[in-house]
Amino acid sequence: MKLAIVTAYPPSKVTLNEYAYHLVKHFRQKESVTEIILLTDKTKGEKDISFIEEGCKITVMECWEFNGYLNIINITKAIESELPDAVLFNLQFMKFGDKKIPAALGLLLPIVCKLKRIPNIVLLHNILEEVDLKLAGFTSNKLLQKVYEFIGTTLTRLILQSDSVVVTMQKYVDVLEKKYNAKNVSFIPHGSFEVSKEKPDFSITNRPLQIMTFGKFGTYKKVESLIEAVEKVRKTTGLDLEIVIAGTDNPNVSGYLARIQEEYKHIPQLRFTGYVEEHDVSTLFKESAIVVFPYTSTTGSSGVLHQAGSYGKAIVMPDLGDLALLVKHEGYKGEFFEPNNIKSLALAIEVLITNNEHRLTIAKANYKAATAYPMEKITDMYMDKFYQISCKNMPKKSMVPESVPID
């Protein structure tokens, strides 16, 4: 199978680029995949496709750009020129831009594939029905929220015209089936990026103890509460703690972290890493004592939660939304705090770094949950899904490994 993937891809800073990297890493190792066509956004640096594992050929076509009005035309031309057997869209609603028109136009691409009879799957990481538009940085204006909801509903109906829509939360399947009477939506877990065959070292011997958070900040992910909570823990415990804020601004709140860095410059041992390259992610997690989620809302399955689990880390999280569902359904555990409550957050952090037995219990449970769905297994599930939607212009023989019988 010649598989095209429409996505942002490292060194891109556009959302979901890291997820695409790990999809590609594992898709290329499938025997039935003969070539991967990466239809990516344009970047200054070269795309990171230097994998050490054996796998199929990867062809990179930089054919779109964030907020580009011609993305739908350019990506369609790339698909026509390569004629893939199948297309996977790695999407969320702001994937192609934070401006309404280019963002919406990009989401019409699955229909283009449907019209051209190219089997396609939309991997949709969030749905607008489950997003707090104010907290997520879209708008606080009630009228504009109604407009966004109408646009979102219309775009969702169009996305659902694709051959198959995959979401990473069972809750999203239920919402889409109920509201849109959708028959082509299924659940495939987010999966864990890297799961070592050797169990992680659950001890925390490094000093200072690193209290780390990771993501795109400024909307519903804010770091002020984390900084102030760690300051409280320092005073009550006397422990040597370093605050590590890893990641960048959310595109909707440019300049947020720079402002925070200036506002809290008097705080000792406060480190901002900026964008974390893929090859530095493992070091970031391994050196951390715990991982904190200073969220006030959620917008989908958390990649950072799955990463923390794969490195055997205990976590501090708010008991709300999709994070709470992941804990319930996938077996993750954490020390919970009340959103927007600095005292509650400080207590949760203190409990984990002063009670080693409790921390170990949570860390080991998270590692067990992460290892249940490695990306190797997740990409197998997508291959099964492609086989199910294969049609006459995608011969079944090219889709299915020899071990899978065809009726």
Side-chain angles (χ1 to χ4, degrees):
M1 177 178 68
K2 186 177 183 180
L3 174 64
I5 303 177
V6 179
T7 184
Y9 194 87
S12 169
K13 304 301 187 292
V14 175
T15 184
L16 302 179
N17 65 85
E18 296 96 342
Y19 197 85
Y21 174 89
H22 292 281
L23 281 177
V24 171
K25 178 179 180 179
H26 290 277
F27 270 129
R28 65 185 294 274
Q29 297 178 58
K30 306 301 178 187
E31 290 185 8
S32 55
V33 178
T34 56
E35 182 180 2
I36 292 176
I37 310 298
L38 273 177
L39 304 178
T40 73
D41 54 333
K42 298 176 183 178
T43 55
K44 293 181 180 180
E46 293 185 3
K47 295 297 190 286
D48 184 3
I49 56 173
S50 56
F51 300 102
I52 59 174
E53 302 86 359
E54 291 187 6
C56 72
K57 174 185 177 183
I58 300 176
T59 300
V60 177
M61 300 185 69
E62 294 186 329
C63 54
W64 63 274
E65 53 191 342
F66 196 71
N67 280 328
Y69 286 84
L70 300 179
N71 287 340
I72 186 171
I73 296 174
N74 294 333
I75 295 175
T76 298
K77 287 181 178 178
I79 292 173
E80 290 175 336
S81 68
E82 292 297 323
L83 294 177
D85 295 312
V87 179
L88 174 66
F89 294 93
N90 181 35
L91 299 183
Q92 54 108 310
F93 278 87
M94 305 297 284
K95 181 55 174 277
F96 294 103
D98 53 15
K99 296 179 181 178
K100 299 179 186 64
I101 294 177
L105 287 174
L107 297 177
L108 300 179
L109 282 161
I111 296 179
V112 173
C113 285
K114 186 71 176 289
L115 293 173
K116 294 181 178 296
R117 301 183 63 82
I118 301 175
N120 66 95
I121 294 175
V122 173
L123 165 54
L124 193 58
H125 288 262
N126 61 6
I127 59 175
L128 284 187
E129 285 79 4
E130 296 298 315
V131 175
D132 186 313
L133 295 175
K134 179 179 179 180
L135 291 174
F138 287 89
T139 181
S140 58
N141 183 288
K142 295 294 184 181
L143 178 61
L144 286 179
Q145 285 181 16
K146 293 294 183 183
V147 172
Y148 273 112
E149 288 170 2
F150 172 77
I151 295 172
T153 297
T154 303
L155 289 173
T156 301
R157 292 189 188 281
L158 293 173
I159 290 171
L160 288 169
Q161 299 306 306
S162 62
D163 290 310
S164 179
V165 174
V166 171
V167 291
T168 58
M169 305 273 304
Q170 179 59 45
K171 175 184 178 182
Y172 295 173
V173 177
D174 300 337
V175 170
L176 294 175
E177 288 182 344
K178 182 177 180 179
K179 180 175 179 178
Y180 300 93
N181 196 30
K183 306 298 184 182
N184 62 335
V185 182
S186 56
F187 161 65
I188 293 180
H190 180 285
S192 300
F193 293 161
E194 298 289 350
V195 179
S196 174
K197 294 180 180 179
E198 298 180 0
K199 284 190 176 181
D201 181 1
F202 295 104
S203 63
I204 49 173
T205 57
N206 292 341
R207 292 295 185 273
L209 294 174
Q210 294 183 12
I211 313 300
M212 189 268 284
T213 187
F214 188 23
K216 290 181 171 64
F217 300 99
T219 53
Y220 64 93
K221 301 178 183 180
K222 293 182 180 292
V223 299
E224 295 96 326
S225 61
L226 172 61
I227 296 171
E228 293 174 24
V230 172
E231 275 288 88
K232 287 183 176 292
V233 178
R234 284 172 175 166
K235 292 177 181 178
T236 58
T237 66
L239 290 172
D240 185 14
L241 306 177
E242 180 182 21
I243 308 165
V244 180
I245 297 172
T248 59
D249 293 331
N250 182 290
N252 292 326
V253 197
S254 179
Y256 168 75
L257 287 178
R259 178 178 64 78
I260 294 298
Q261 194 166 3
E262 175 63 24
E263 183 178 344
Y264 290 93
K265 62 183 179 181
H266 61 285
I267 300 293
Q269 297 192 129
L270 171 60
R271 176 159 60 96
F272 293 80
T273 70
Y275 180 78
V276 181
E277 299 290 345
E278 189 60 42
H279 56 79
D280 293 325
V281 170
S282 61
T283 300
L284 176 73
F285 277 92
K286 288 177 181 178
E287 292 182 349
S288 299
I290 61 173
V291 181
V292 180
F293 296 74
Y295 299 176
T296 57
S297 181
T298 58
T299 61
S301 185
S302 171
V304 179
L305 173 60
H306 291 83
Q307 286 177 301
S310 66
Y311 291 105
K313 295 299 174 181
I315 57 178
V316 173
M317 64 168 67
D319 188 8
L320 55 76
D322 298 330
L323 284 176
L325 283 176
L326 284 170
V327 168
K328 180 180 179 181
H329 294 148
E330 295 189 23
Y332 288 91
K333 294 185 180 298
E335 189 65 31
F336 292 103
F337 69 94
E338 298 175 15
N340 297 308
N341 187 324
I342 295 173
K343 184 178 180 180
S344 176
L345 176 54
L347 180 60
I349 293 171
E350 182 175 336
V351 166
L352 282 188
I353 61 174
T354 59
N355 187 333
N356 194 54
E357 183 177 349
H358 182 50
R359 182 190 61 80
L360 281 172
T361 298
I362 292 177
K364 291 177 179 179
N366 289 343
Y367 179 71
K368 181 180 180 180
T371 55
Y373 289 102
M375 289 303 291
E376 179 182 6
K377 184 174 182 178
I378 298 303
T379 46
D380 280 339
M381 296 170 78
Y382 279 102
M383 295 302 298
D384 290 342
K385 185 65 62 177
F386 275 120
Y387 170 54
Q388 293 170 17
I389 65 172
S390 63
C391 53
K392 63 181 180 181
N393 63 339
M394 178 189 275
K396 291 183 179 180
K397 184 178 180 181
S398 69
M399 289 297 305
V400 191
E402 293 181 1
S403 60
V404 180
I406 301 176
D407 295 331

